[in-house]
Amino acid sequence: YGTAFESSEELDKHLLLLEEASKRDHRKLGNELDLFSISQDVGSGMILWHPKGSFIRGKIEDYWKSEHIKDNYDLIYTPHVGKSDLWSKSGHLDNFKENMFSSIDMDNSEYYLKPMNCPFHIAYYKNSLRSYRDLPMRIGELGTVYRYEKQGVLHGLLRVRGFTQDDAHLFVTEDQIAQEIQGCIELVQIIFSNLGMKDYRVRVGLRDPQSEKYVGDAKRWDLAEAACRNAAKSMGIQWTEEEGEAAFYGPKIDFVVKDVIGREWQLGTVQVDYNLPERFDLKYKGSDGEFHRPVMIHRAPFGSMERFCGVLIEHFAGKFPTWLSPTQVHIVTISEKQADFAYELTTKMRNAGIRVEIDDSDATIGKKIRTHRSLQPAYIVVIGEEEKATNTVSIRARTGVQKSGISIDDFIEKITDEIEQKIPIPSIVADNVEDEAK
């Protein structure tokens, strides 16, 4: 195998990309920043989230929940295992079994670890008689699923065997499909924008007419594919069609995100499904008093928390926006004489909801700054005799910009505002946020 380039400039660009990608490897940064680990005692493809990594994931999950509650989603929890009859009816045992773990024998029945959340949300829908007044019904869950991936394809957070999907299923009438797909797309766009991932394209995944892996009749597939195409056209951005990329139960709209060094990652997805409602005999009572079949929309803005966090680590190279940083401020003292003042400042900042670490060791100030810079806090606050005397702080932003003589109250007010607004870079000491971002 070999790779050829038409010019030395293109070769240089490729080598630079490889070098930059190596620096950003989420496995390397995950170890250096103490975010997560994989233990062979636990098993390959199973993630142990450390406190700092758990914090980042937790903030993203909190953000996910708040945006979904705003959009009138109801959030639920479902089990990790289900009976084989459930997976047979859904079509997973016929079409997805190679990606499922072996069955578990219990109470004279077979159970499987869930590879998807869909059948559980369907079971919730069927728990009560539904009316057209209940639709659209939007159900969301941060649901952990398990899929058997071969050892050779496992890759840090990006390819795992146990992961949490930011899953949701919408049960809608046919008349509501277009509007609800549009709402799903807008939600994905809002989330990506607020996380600084604004460069992406859309891929519409269609069935392969020559393949037998798909369930349902051609007429329903045509309706679902038309809905996905129309939604993609309405977005006003670049999109493509790809045969063979549909899920076995329906076509989908995938969001392929480009990171800061030009690599593409498939993350969010929206899928239209006429088939599972048919297989599970889902119904709602219409305004005419008759029973009708709803349509399902499957939707996950992140795809999975593990994969999304892995992409996020590499996208930011571990230099997270202030609101996502595990520790936002590291306070370092020049000497032990400032320790009491530093602890008073730490308490005041923590009471304001700012995440702070303090270093009052007897190491030199130069060594302290080098050590804490490698841990990538948004800001390093240096405390010396002058700061103590004037009740101010000297700040070193992660961007490299420095500023002295900032009042403590002013600093706390500005960093709190930066966190609440989810500003993408440390901006307190920047004259121009856009210039600093570049």
Side-chain angles (χ1 to χ4, degrees):
Y1 295 93
T3 304
F5 300 89
E6 292 186 355
S7 67
S8 59
E9 289 77 13
E10 288 188 10
L11 172 59
D12 291 342
K13 183 179 179 180
H14 176 72
L15 294 176
L16 184 62
L17 175 64
L18 293 179
E19 181 182 352
E20 186 64 25
S22 177
K23 292 177 185 176
R24 292 169 178 268
D25 190 320
H26 74 282
R27 296 167 298 177
K28 171 176 171 286
L29 292 171
N31 179 59
E32 292 175 357
L33 301 177
D34 195 23
L35 303 178
F36 71 92
S37 62
I38 299 171
S39 168
Q40 293 309 310
D41 291 336
V42 175
S44 300
M46 303 295 181
I47 305 301
L48 298 175
W49 290 90
H50 295 196
K52 290 181 178 180
S54 296
F55 174 83
I56 295 170
R57 171 176 165 166
K59 293 300 287 186
I60 295 172
E61 289 181 351
D62 289 344
Y63 173 57
W64 180 91
K65 289 176 183 177
S66 67
E67 291 297 325
H68 281 69
I69 289 170
K70 285 181 195 174
D71 266 14
N72 295 317
Y73 281 75
D74 291 316
L75 306 184
I76 66 173
Y77 296 96
T78 62
H80 289 243
V81 297
K83 293 176 71 173
S84 60
D85 290 348
L86 182 75
W87 304 112
S88 179
K89 185 178 288 189
S90 68
H92 284 85
L93 289 183
D94 290 333
N95 299 279
F96 204 74
K97 191 172 183 179
E98 69 275 11
N99 299 111
M100 298 171 67
F101 281 94
S102 301
S103 62
I104 304 166
D105 292 328
M106 185 165 54
D107 300 332
N108 297 317
S109 296
E110 281 188 320
Y111 288 74
Y112 286 88
L113 286 167
K114 63 177 178 180
M116 297 183 189
N117 299 298
C118 331
F120 294 90
H121 292 193
I122 289 171
Y124 168 74
Y125 179 91
K126 293 187 71 173
N127 186 60
S128 299
L129 176 63
R130 306 298 179 181
S131 160
Y132 71 95
R133 295 185 180 90
D134 299 320
L135 307 185
M137 179 182 289
R138 305 182 184 108
I139 305 301
E141 178 184 14
L142 289 164
T144 300
V145 299
Y146 304 88
R147 297 181 187 173
Y148 175 69
E149 298 280 4
K150 293 182 179 179
Q151 181 76 31
V153 302
L154 298 176
H155 183 76
L157 294 173
L158 303 180
R159 200 71 177 263
V160 294
R161 288 174 171 166
F163 55 95
T164 300
Q165 289 185 307
D166 60 315
D167 221 349
H169 295 91
L170 291 74
F171 299 88
V172 305
T173 68
E174 284 202 271
D175 291 342
Q176 295 168 340
I177 291 174
Q179 183 176 348
E180 290 303 310
I181 291 178
Q182 190 63 41
C184 290
I185 290 171
E186 289 172 0
L187 180 60
V188 173
Q189 291 174 317
I190 289 169
I191 289 175
F192 281 4
S193 177
N194 284 343
L195 287 166
M197 305 180 104
K198 300 180 181 181
D199 189 1
Y200 56 86
R201 64 181 176 89
V202 169
R203 178 179 66 203
V204 176
L206 309 174
R207 71 193 185 284
D208 179 355
Q210 307 304 317
S211 174
E212 297 181 356
K213 76 172 186 175
Y214 305 102
V215 299
D217 63 48
K219 180 180 178 182
R220 292 192 182 93
W221 272 93
D222 291 341
L223 290 170
E225 290 180 346
C228 288
R229 284 193 183 97
N230 291 335
K233 290 175 184 176
S234 71
M235 294 174 66
I237 63 174
Q238 177 189 357
W239 66 282
T240 58
E241 293 184 5
E242 292 189 30
E243 286 189 353
E245 288 298 319
F248 71 84
Y249 47 79
K252 57 182 181 173
I253 301 171
D254 290 330
F255 290 81
V256 183
V257 176
K258 185 177 288 187
D259 67 16
V260 291
I261 60 173
R263 299 172 301 180
E264 289 192 328
W265 307 89
Q266 193 269 303
L267 295 176
T269 187
V270 179
Q271 304 167 1
V272 181
D273 179 8
Y274 279 78
N275 292 305
L276 289 184
E278 182 74 22
R279 294 175 75 94
F280 281 92
D281 192 26
L282 300 189
K283 300 174 182 177
Y284 70 90
K285 198 166 188 177
S287 58
D288 57 2
E290 301 295 325
F291 284 105
H292 302 270
R293 188 83 70 208
V295 178
M296 280 181 71
I297 298 174
H298 308 242
R299 192 265 34 225
F302 297 140
S304 84
M305 298 309 301
E306 283 72 12
R307 183 177 177 83
F308 189 82
C309 286
V311 172
L312 210 62
I313 291 168
E314 298 199 1
H315 179 70
F316 290 117
K319 300 174 182 178
F320 301 103
T322 304
W323 70 279
L324 273 181
S325 295
T327 49
Q328 294 156 329
V329 177
H330 285 203
I331 297 175
V332 297
T333 58
I334 291 178
S335 74
E336 62 182 15
K337 296 177 182 179
Q338 299 91 40
D340 290 344
F341 178 65
Y343 277 100
E344 289 175 12
L345 176 57
T346 298
T347 299
K348 191 170 185 178
M349 294 181 72
R350 285 176 176 164
N351 288 340
I354 301 165
R355 299 183 296 281
V356 187
E357 286 189 10
I358 186 170
D359 184 351
D360 64 341
S361 67
D362 56 5
T364 65
I365 188 63
K367 183 177 181 180
K368 287 182 183 181
I369 290 173
R370 287 193 298 274
T371 298
H372 288 273
R373 187 185 294 135
S374 69
L375 298 175
Q376 306 288 11
Y379 298 97
I380 296 175
V381 169
V382 180
I383 302 294
E385 281 302 295
E386 182 177 346
E387 286 76 19
K388 180 179 177 180
T390 58
N391 205 38
T392 62
V393 292
S394 293
I395 300 171
R396 293 172 180 246
R398 191 173 50 217
T399 56
V401 183
Q402 303 179 33
K403 194 169 184 178
S404 301
I406 301 176
S407 77
I408 291 173
D409 289 341
D410 190 34
F411 176 62
I412 291 176
E413 180 183 348
K414 287 183 176 180
I415 192 173
T416 301
D417 186 57
E418 184 175 295
I419 293 166
E420 290 176 351
Q421 293 188 42
K422 296 181 172 60
I423 293 173
I425 61 160
S427 59
I428 292 175
V429 293
D431 294 327
N432 187 306
V433 174
E434 291 189 4
D435 287 345
E436 201 63 53
K438 292 176 184 177

